[in-house]
Amino acid sequence: MATKEKLLEIKNLKQYFNEGKPNMVKAIDGLNFDIFRGETLGLVGESGCGKSTTGRTIIRLYDATDGEVLYEGENVHGKKSKKELLKFNRKMQMIFQDPSASLNPRMTVADCIAEGIDIHGLAKNRKERLARVHELLETVGLNKEHANRYPHEFSGGQRQRIGIARALAVEPDFIIADEPISALDVSIQAQVVNLMKKLQKEKGLTYLFIAHDLSMVKYISDRIGVMYFGKMVELADADELYNNPMHPYTRSLLSAIPQPDPDTERSRKRVTYDPNSHGYGKDELVEMREVRPGHFVLCSEAEYKMYQEKYAVK
């Protein structure tokens, strides 16, 4: 079996806002996980759990309070020259949640997409620049005639395709997709996700896919991490997580997914998560532990033994 290559390593990452003040918010509080080259890691959790902050801290839109983000072994948050930052920004790009807000309404689609091309000097002249824009538009399922239009002339799904084209313009290896389908109609969501899967296969991309729609996350992700109040509570392969959810918060999220069958929907039981139900002691060590191969859960030593007995591989 081939060894997976780590593209990104997150080590004890913390992001505190208003640090040292009475209203301090621990948006990310000690995250540890890896992302392997060529995979899609889904990151899920309720609103306000720190998913988007995680993505923005990884790509340096926020400076980390503590911890490390290692991309190909190099610390993203270390001191860097302008040249080093440009090199890093070309490798890692972001697709934002709101395609309307992420595109400059005063710029044509061609200029929006070509912004990265201009910054990194990837086109020798205007003709090459325009040819590259046309190629990117066609790659994401739009026409080259769209290049001279403005963002407001497009639908939400089309604007998100433009956002994807802009992210692809600098030929990155890693893309953070921050809830890229949440602002879209359900009928358009599958089209955008299928486009992302197609591009990943063609270009060997690696994704961090942030969302709160667990059914869609399962469809696109190889592995899924579940966040709760700034902490990762469970991490496993997508099928493993859905078939054997261990942490009570994960079980509560999965129980909330609507079922297409009315009879099943009426009879199914929803799980309510009570964060106080664990009853951890003051000095009890609570950390991510591997209960099954590749399946990690945030738990105490006592919970770990209980999970092992209940979910042992047979």
Side-chain angles (χ1 to χ4, degrees):
M1 184 178 174
T3 304
K4 292 181 180 178
E5 180 190 350
K6 286 182 185 178
L7 182 67
L8 195 76
E9 297 176 70
I10 310 298
K11 296 183 176 182
N12 196 34
L13 186 64
K14 296 179 181 179
Q15 181 58 261
Y16 297 169
F17 296 111
N18 301 320
E19 190 178 6
K21 298 179 181 179
N23 61 341
M24 182 175 72
V25 176
K26 295 183 179 182
I28 309 173
D29 193 18
L31 279 187
N32 292 279
F33 63 91
D34 301 325
I35 300 179
F36 299 102
R37 189 178 293 277
E39 79 163 344
T40 298
L41 177 70
L43 198 58
V44 300
E46 62 192 78
S47 296
C49 72
K51 307 184 301 296
S52 294
T53 302
T54 298
R56 288 167 178 261
T57 304
I58 288 172
I59 204 169
R60 273 190 73 139
L61 288 178
Y62 298 145
D63 289 325
T65 302
D66 197 9
E68 290 183 310
V69 177
L70 302 179
Y71 184 83
E72 295 181 326
E74 185 179 346
N75 189 4
V76 168
H77 287 269
K79 190 174 181 181
K80 287 182 166 41
S81 65
K82 186 176 180 180
K83 185 177 179 181
E84 288 172 326
L85 280 173
L86 272 176
K87 185 180 177 183
F88 161 72
N89 289 336
R90 187 177 172 186
K91 291 180 178 180
M92 191 185 297
Q93 287 289 301
M94 193 163 191
I95 300 169
F96 294 92
Q97 178 177 357
D98 185 354
S100 302
S102 64
L103 298 172
N104 189 330
R106 293 182 176 84
M107 292 170 64
T108 64
V109 166
D111 288 337
C112 287
I113 292 173
E115 204 168 4
I117 295 172
D118 297 340
I119 290 169
H120 293 276
L122 302 179
K124 296 175 184 176
N125 49 52
R126 291 190 65 82
K127 184 178 179 181
E128 189 176 314
R129 177 185 189 264
L130 187 60
R132 180 68 180 139
V133 168
H134 289 168
E135 181 188 341
L136 286 162
L137 284 169
E138 290 174 357
T139 297
V140 298
L142 296 173
N143 302 320
K144 63 182 182 180
E145 288 77 18
H146 291 140
N148 293 323
R149 298 184 186 177
Y150 288 85
H152 74 270
E153 299 179 66
F154 296 87
S155 67
Q158 288 175 320
R159 280 196 290 264
Q160 196 57 288
R161 288 172 186 266
I162 294 165
I164 294 171
R166 182 178 60 179
L168 292 173
V170 295
E171 300 174 349
D173 297 321
F174 177 59
I175 292 179
I176 298 171
D178 182 15
E179 303 207 37
I181 58 173
S182 63
L184 307 179
D185 291 340
V186 174
S187 58
I188 306 300
Q189 289 181 0
Q191 294 178 20
V192 172
V193 169
N194 285 333
L195 171 63
M196 290 181 67
K197 290 185 75 170
K198 175 174 173 282
L199 292 170
Q200 182 178 40
K201 190 175 181 180
E202 291 174 354
K203 299 178 181 294
L205 296 168
T206 304
Y207 291 140
L208 174 62
F209 190 89
I210 300 167
H212 57 260
D213 183 344
L214 283 104
S215 54
M216 191 60 80
V217 169
K218 182 176 185 291
Y219 176 65
I220 194 173
S221 302
D222 299 294
R223 293 186 301 140
I224 297 174
V226 180
M227 282 189 70
Y228 180 76
F229 272 68
K231 292 183 180 292
M232 185 85 76
V233 298
E234 192 159 358
L235 176 66
D237 288 347
D239 289 335
E240 167 70 13
L241 188 87
Y242 274 70
N243 295 331
N244 299 295
M246 297 182 196
H247 196 279
Y249 178 67
T250 306
R251 296 203 300 273
S252 74
L253 285 181
L254 291 174
S255 76
I257 299 175
Q259 301 296 321
D261 178 40
D263 294 330
T264 306
E265 178 66 19
R266 276 194 295 270
S267 61
R268 73 187 174 94
K269 292 183 179 180
R270 289 168 176 79
V271 178
T272 302
Y273 176 55
D274 178 8
N276 299 315
S277 63
H278 300 278
Y280 296 133
K282 184 179 178 182
D283 299 319
E284 199 165 5
L285 181 61
V286 180
E287 61 182 359
M288 291 290 279
R289 304 171 195 259
E290 189 172 17
V291 179
R292 289 160 63 104
H295 194 151
F296 298 84
V297 185
L298 183 70
C299 58
S300 63
E301 183 66 31
E303 286 176 322
Y304 174 64
K305 290 176 181 176
M306 181 269 289
Y307 288 142
Q308 278 199 314
E309 290 175 8
K310 188 175 180 180
Y311 298 100
V313 178
K314 298 176 182 176

